[in-house]
Amino acid sequence: MNASSPLPTDSDAFRVAVRDFLSEALTPELIRAGERTTSVFSDFEAGRQWQSILHQRGWGAPDWPLEYGGTGWDIQQRYIFQEECRQANAPTPVMMGIQMLGPMLMHFGTPSQKERFLPGIISGENVWCQGYSEPGSGSDLASLKTTADHDGDDFVVNGTKIWTSMAHYSDWIFCLVRTDKAVKPQAGISFLLIDMATPGITVKPFTSLDGEVEQCQVFFEDVRVPTANLLGEENQGWTVAKSLLEFERGGQHFTIDLKKQLSKMQHMMSSETCRVTADPTFAYRVAETQIDVMALEQTELRIKGSLTAGDNPGALSSLVKVSGTELGQRCAELLIEAAGQSAIPWQSEVLAPSYNGSTAAASESVTTMAEYINSRATTIYGGTAEIQRSIIAKHVLGL
Amino acid sequence: MTMTEEQTMLWDTADRYLRDNADFNQRRDQIAEGVYSQPQKWQAFAEMGWLAMPFPESMDGLNFGLREIAILAELCGQYLVTEPLIDTLAVASTVLMHSDQAGALVPDVISGELIAIAAIDEPTAESRLSPSSTLSKTESGWHLQGRKYWISAGASATHFVVLADSCNGLAWVLVAKNAEGLSCETFPTHDGKGGANCHFDLAIDDNQILLMGDAASDALSAFRECAMTLSSAETLGAAQAALDTTVDYTKQREQFGQPLASFQALQHRMANMLIQTETTRSLVYAACDAADRDSPDRARFARAAKVKSAAVGRKVTQEAIQLHGGIATTDEYIVGHFFKRVTALETWVCSKGEALQEFMALDNNKIAPAGPA
């Protein structure tokens, strides 16, 4: 199917069209990268390659409005697309640019900023990372201390950002910086777009519990950033940041991945290595988890059904984030129990998409332990589960 | 969220009526006097068309779906309605309506004269699906023998729709409450609905046998599925009301010089109540839509909604009591009554455990492709 042929609007036919494209476009190596994904990010190069393929097809950012390169698909079609990609084991590219920064540029950016940054984001050519947390500012994000001081036509940035996912691969970083120390914390923050190649920036990667590197700390020492790279007005960065976080929390369809975990579970429970088939309480726990996933799926559809493309789901995104991440953790726990001893081997090399050899772990549980380990981060990043509950209490319940 | 204009209108009208006519203190007084269904209110339900909702236009019904009936069920939970609304609608739309006698019976249901309540629980039967009550052939007709106990809303019934075993398989039999050979003891119940225990030992005419054999079994499945979804909807309404009451109360009540609502430990528990209630809401509405579209997933969604709402109804109303403190343990305060009603609903017709077992046994209980129910 070529890029100009119109897609069927009927959802079954749409699904078939997406499936056809995927079976043609996904190479065995890309699929292996998808299969061996143990967190929100796949192998970096595979993800970047896949983003470029999607972009060539015109599907680089299905959630974006048509005028910026979106697809014009309705909510149902976008859901189907994401689901089919996951079912076909397409790798997941680094999405901070498309999911988070893109909508902010469209909303707060100047025409020249949009023109300059959006094309590189959707093509996957420019990879972006998110500079929010600092060593002393986690949940209390507004206390951040990285400063940006005016000097001629530039800001001069000093400070450090931490838990910056994929910074070691990124070309650009969007950053919250302090531009006014005299006012109350939220009122003195600005949103800056910074080229990672600028002199004075260094990146220190962390090895995570699963042995992989995704998280980094980024240091800024007298980094000069043109004032043209300010997104939104000076000292209005908190507004941009909050809006972005709602997109971050609400932008995903958690249930697509949850259902994939449950399918894995069913596959595992029917395998020879499974140790839990004799345990009737296990089957009950799986069934109750399955029901909770159904409830979340219908909730996602209900919330998204009331939004149009480019809209912000608001505080309800916190509800979905808490439920989605905590259910993901429950699924990961069930999977680790189902895998039993077969999940203990730790062989980082088998996660590489190019790896074709045998594995010490049972084939269906190669990624199980790493997924379980990484699931603990999901209720910490993007605003902890505790912060989400406080948002719900304040903005939904009015407490 | 996502209600049609017609559904919003129905909600608003019913909400207004119940706000004005289902006062909590009045409810307490009436229950103390042994009145569980107020004739005036029941007549108003009939006049507003609530008793006509599930029936087709050919029977002078309004031909509404389960989604609309669930709106009433949700409001029954919120206002702690003791009249046997979901009880009657569930059995009338799945059993009475499909019998040869429908033409004679349905108009009386719609007018409010016939209050038919399903009688399925027995003191000794192993399962409510296989009754030990028997309907046996006699020379002149039939004979019904057996006991039906703990019939919810049984005190308000004019008739019982009795599930019995016959030589032709299951049978649904209509028996007037004042029939000779039926001894019926009514009693108050913890949820205010008023119950009945019945002994049946009486002759039955052909025209009292509503359904028999496969048709009766099919009707039992349909009745149970309908009851699962409506009890889920009523539980949802009660849980939401318990949450709302708790939020209001903790904003007012001061301890340590500040409102309870300002304490983060309590805020997070109320946030959990909201998360649980909202995700339950999604599943209940999905179960209604699946039934109304006669989706292949309808059985799965009804059971999922039952399991989820039972668990959440219990948790949310327990938390409501805890966050209120002592006041919620009294009969004069409303919150404990939500707790008692959801406890009774949990086991009505189909328990959470039964629903979970059935959910697991369903053929199509695979991980279904995403999308609306």
Side-chain angles (χ1 to χ4, degrees):
Chain A
M1 185 184 293
N2 64 52
S4 58
S5 67
L7 277 164
T9 48
D10 167 71
S11 60
D12 288 338
F14 177 85
R15 190 183 288 278
V16 171
V18 170
R19 210 171 277 179
D20 287 348
F21 163 77
L22 291 172
S23 68
E24 208 173 291
L26 281 168
T27 63
E29 198 160 302
L30 286 173
I31 291 172
R32 201 152 43 235
E35 281 171 352
R36 305 259 155 115
T37 301
T38 60
S39 71
V40 288
F41 307 106
S42 297
D43 173 79
F44 176 74
E45 278 311 326
R48 191 195 313 245
Q49 194 190 335
W50 181 236
Q51 181 59 29
S52 149
I53 293 170
L54 286 177
H55 176 58
Q56 282 161 30
R57 178 65 184 82
W59 296 352
D63 288 339
W64 285 12
L66 210 49
E67 57 178 308
Y68 298 114
T71 52
W73 293 340
D74 64 21
I75 166 81
Q76 174 85 2
Q77 290 171 315
R78 283 181 274 147
Y79 195 98
I80 291 171
F81 175 71
Q82 228 186 78
E83 183 175 53
E84 286 300 320
C85 286
R86 297 294 286 132
Q87 286 301 328
N89 283 311
T92 38
V94 175
M95 295 297 277
M96 274 86 77
I98 290 169
Q99 267 183 10
M100 302 184 200
L101 181 61
M104 295 310 105
L105 277 167
M106 293 168 209
H107 197 266
F108 298 98
T110 62
S112 69
Q113 284 175 332
K114 293 182 200 176
E115 203 176 313
R116 179 172 171 209
F117 294 114
L118 288 174
I121 292 175
I122 197 169
S123 69
E125 200 183 322
N126 295 328
V127 172
W128 286 79
C129 59
Q130 178 186 29
Y132 271 33
S133 294
E134 297 182 4
S137 304
S139 284
D140 183 12
L141 184 57
S143 69
L144 60 91
K145 292 187 180 62
T146 296
T147 54
D149 300 313
H150 281 283
D151 185 32
D153 287 339
D154 292 337
F155 285 108
V156 177
V157 178
N158 279 287
T160 179
K161 293 289 174 183
I162 200 165
W163 317 129
T164 320
S165 304
M166 310 309 260
H168 54 320
Y169 289 121
S170 294
D171 308 297
W172 286 79
I173 181 168
F174 52 90
C175 261
L176 293 180
V177 292
R178 185 153 304 285
T179 38
D180 190 342
K181 289 169 209 159
V183 292
K184 75 166 192 155
Q186 285 86 345
I189 293 171
S190 298
F191 196 105
L192 266 190
L193 311 176
I194 305 176
D195 187 341
M196 287 292 278
T198 319
I201 296 181
T202 48
V203 175
K204 175 194 145 196
F206 290 103
T207 301
S208 297
L209 279 174
D210 69 340
E212 304 299 306
V213 174
E214 285 180 0
Q215 304 302 319
C216 301
Q217 184 167 2
V218 184
F219 298 89
F220 300 86
E221 202 183 335
D222 292 328
V223 174
R224 300 193 77 84
V225 181
T227 48
N229 288 12
L230 181 70
L231 181 64
E233 283 171 40
E234 190 168 333
N235 296 323
Q236 294 295 308
W238 190 247
T239 309
V240 185
K242 274 199 307 184
S243 176
L244 183 148
L245 280 171
E246 286 169 357
F247 272 97
E248 176 181 3
R249 290 163 196 153
Q252 299 147 278
H253 302 281
F254 282 97
T255 34
I256 290 173
D257 284 322
L258 291 169
K259 285 162 78 170
K260 208 173 164 197
Q261 283 178 291
L262 289 171
S263 316
K264 261 191 202 171
M265 175 76 62
Q266 284 188 334
H267 177 68
M268 229 182 234
M269 284 171 82
S270 61
S271 92
E272 281 177 5
T273 53
C274 184
R275 298 286 181 271
V276 289
T277 38
D279 173 4
T281 66
F282 188 79
Y284 284 115
R285 282 158 59 207
V286 171
E288 284 186 298
T289 304
Q290 222 177 324
I291 288 170
D292 282 337
V293 171
M294 287 170 76
L296 179 62
E297 177 176 32
Q298 295 305 320
T299 305
E300 284 189 334
L301 290 166
R302 196 155 63 89
I303 292 173
K304 283 167 206 287
S306 61
L307 301 175
T308 47
D311 264 1
N312 183 326
L316 286 175
S317 63
S318 294
L319 188 161
V320 173
K321 205 249 170 179
V322 172
S323 307
T325 51
E326 291 181 352
L327 264 174
Q329 292 176 335
R330 256 168 75 190
C331 290
E333 282 169 43
L334 289 168
L335 281 162
I336 205 80
E337 285 180 51
Q341 284 296 107
S342 75
I344 65 163
W346 184 7
Q347 295 175 288
S348 283
E349 66 277 13
V350 308
L351 297 177
S354 55
Y355 185 84
N356 225 342
S358 64
T359 61
S363 62
E364 65 272 14
S365 38
V366 166
T367 57
T368 309
M369 184 66 89
E371 285 180 74
Y372 171 61
I373 291 166
N374 288 329
S375 77
R376 302 319 302 174
T378 61
T379 47
I380 300 170
Y381 63 61
T384 63
E386 289 71 25
I387 289 290
Q388 308 303 340
R389 287 187 164 87
S390 291
I391 291 172
I392 292 169
K394 188 171 174 202
H395 297 287
V396 185
L397 295 173
L399 295 173
Chain B
M1 251 191 278
T2 60
M3 283 202 280
T4 66
E5 215 170 294
E6 198 178 37
Q7 287 164 353
T8 309
M9 242 171 63
L10 172 66
W11 178 284
D12 290 343
T13 317
D15 185 46
R16 204 173 318 120
Y17 173 80
L18 291 172
R19 200 184 317 133
D20 295 341
N21 295 280
D23 178 67
F24 171 65
N25 289 317
Q26 229 175 358
R27 177 188 188 271
R28 283 183 71 220
D29 295 343
Q30 281 166 8
I31 290 170
E33 289 163 19
V35 177
Y36 311 107
S37 182
Q38 214 193 351
Q40 244 172 305
K41 225 187 275 172
W42 193 250
Q43 202 46 49
F45 288 6
E47 280 159 22
M48 289 185 289
W50 295 1
L51 304 178
M53 286 183 57
F55 305 110
E57 280 160 26
S58 60
M59 294 183 179
D60 290 325
L62 296 176
N63 199 27
F64 277 131
L66 199 56
R67 180 69 188 86
E68 284 80 25
I69 300 172
I71 287 175
L72 295 183
E74 219 180 308
L75 288 165
C76 282
Q78 179 181 331
Y79 288 102
L80 291 166
V81 171
T82 54
E83 281 72 16
L85 186 65
I86 66 165
D87 315 72
T88 302
L89 293 181
V91 75
S93 64
T94 53
V95 181
L96 265 59
M97 195 173 99
H98 299 295
S99 75
D100 290 341
Q101 281 70 259
L105 299 175
V106 168
D108 288 349
V109 172
I110 291 177
S111 72
E113 280 161 69
L114 174 63
I115 305 175
I117 302 292
I120 53 171
D121 285 87
E122 297 187 358
T124 53
E126 269 177 38
S127 145
R128 351 188 193 195
L129 303 181
S130 49
S132 53
S133 297
T134 52
L135 177 71
S136 38
K137 194 97 185 98
T138 61
E139 282 173 16
S140 54
W142 301 84
H143 189 85
L144 178 65
Q145 172 95 46
R147 293 181 292 171
K148 294 289 177 183
Y149 271 35
W150 314 303
I151 305 166
S152 179
S156 304
T158 64
H159 290 70
F160 293 107
V161 186
V162 183
L163 184 66
D165 196 24
S166 81
C167 51
N168 299 325
L170 287 179
W172 287 100
V173 185
L174 186 70
V175 181
K177 198 185 196 171
N178 56 12
E180 210 168 306
L182 162 58
S183 71
C184 181
E185 173 207 358
T186 62
F187 45 81
T189 59
H190 281 288
D191 61 346
K193 299 273 286 191
N197 287 349
C198 297
H199 290 235
F200 299 89
D201 186 4
L202 70 169
I204 298 291
D205 290 340
D206 278 340
N207 65 4
Q208 285 176 269
I209 299 172
L210 301 174
L211 296 167
M212 202 177 238
D214 289 346
S217 298
D218 291 350
L220 176 60
S221 303
F223 167 67
R224 292 180 74 250
E225 197 178 294
C226 180
M228 285 177 214
T229 305
L230 290 182
S231 70
S232 302
E234 187 171 338
T235 300
L236 168 68
Q240 180 69 56
L243 169 60
D244 291 343
T245 310
T246 307
V247 167
D248 288 345
Y249 183 80
T250 56
K251 283 180 184 169
Q252 312 286 332
R253 167 86 170 161
E254 294 200 357
Q255 289 290 276
F256 305 104
Q258 49 188 323
L260 288 179
S262 66
F263 293 99
Q264 193 184 50
L266 306 194
Q267 289 180 353
H268 286 192
R269 285 167 74 169
M270 287 185 267
N272 282 343
M273 291 162 79
L274 176 101
I275 292 168
Q276 290 306 320
T277 307
E278 281 305 320
T279 46
T280 301
R281 180 184 307 285
S282 309
L283 206 43
V284 171
Y285 293 174
C288 293
D289 292 338
D292 289 337
R293 289 186 299 105
D294 199 17
S295 147
D297 261 345
R298 59 181 295 168
R300 193 166 173 268
F301 270 95
R303 280 151 188 84
K306 176 71 198 186
V307 172
K308 177 82 179 166
S309 68
V312 169
R314 183 184 280 196
K315 181 74 184 161
V316 167
T317 57
Q318 286 174 348
E319 285 285 90
I321 292 176
Q322 181 64 26
L323 295 185
H324 275 82
I327 183 72
T329 65
T330 66
D331 184 66
E332 69 192 49
Y333 195 76
I334 196 166
V335 152
H337 295 269
F338 296 125
F339 165 75
K340 290 209 288 181
R341 179 58 182 148
V342 302
T343 307
L345 279 166
E346 199 179 303
T347 149
W348 180 63
V349 182
C350 169
S351 69
K352 180 194 167 205
E354 289 163 337
L356 182 60
Q357 297 259 16
E358 290 175 24
F359 177 87
M360 292 167 73
L362 285 171
D363 284 345
N364 62 345
N365 189 24
K366 58 188 186 320
I367 314 303

